[in-house]
Amino acid sequence: MQQLAQPIEAVRHVADGSRAGAVLEAEAAVDAYVSDFPEPGDKVIALDILLRDLARLRLRAPELDAFLDAVEGHIDDLHRDLARRAA
């Protein structure tokens, strides 16, 4: 079975803890991962990869759907922000 991207493993670890602030920790993991890419186009690709891996995580752990919805919402916000900056 293929490995998930490192930030997705971090998201899964945080989600499994079911503690207050877990969504913020997951969003911070996404932000840290994306910040490693200097170019906006590279950031968009990185976000797309994260969305793909989150979809794979949903298949492995469907009980995390609500949590993953929140993380995907954050990724969507980052996509929109990048699109606004490019315009």
Side-chain angles (χ1 to χ4, degrees):
M1 190 174 287
Q2 292 179 341
Q3 294 294 321
L4 297 172
Q6 183 177 2
I8 300 303
E9 288 295 344
V11 166
R12 183 178 190 159
H13 175 74
V14 169
D16 287 342
S18 300
R19 63 186 179 279
V23 171
L24 293 177
E25 288 180 47
E27 290 174 353
V30 168
D31 293 343
Y33 174 71
V34 173
S35 71
D36 287 342
F37 299 91
E39 298 298 321
D42 294 338
K43 289 181 186 296
V44 169
I45 292 168
L47 291 170
D48 287 344
I49 290 168
L50 290 178
L51 286 173
R52 180 205 63 205
D53 282 356
L54 283 174
R56 290 173 48 217
L57 179 55
R58 277 182 193 276
L59 294 174
R60 292 182 185 183
E63 68 278 6
L64 300 178
D65 275 350
F67 184 86
L68 298 178
D69 283 343
V71 176
E72 285 178 350
H74 179 66
I75 292 172
D76 288 342
D77 290 344
L78 294 174
H79 262 296
R80 280 191 220 101
D81 186 50
L82 288 168
R84 274 192 295 269
R85 290 181 190 186

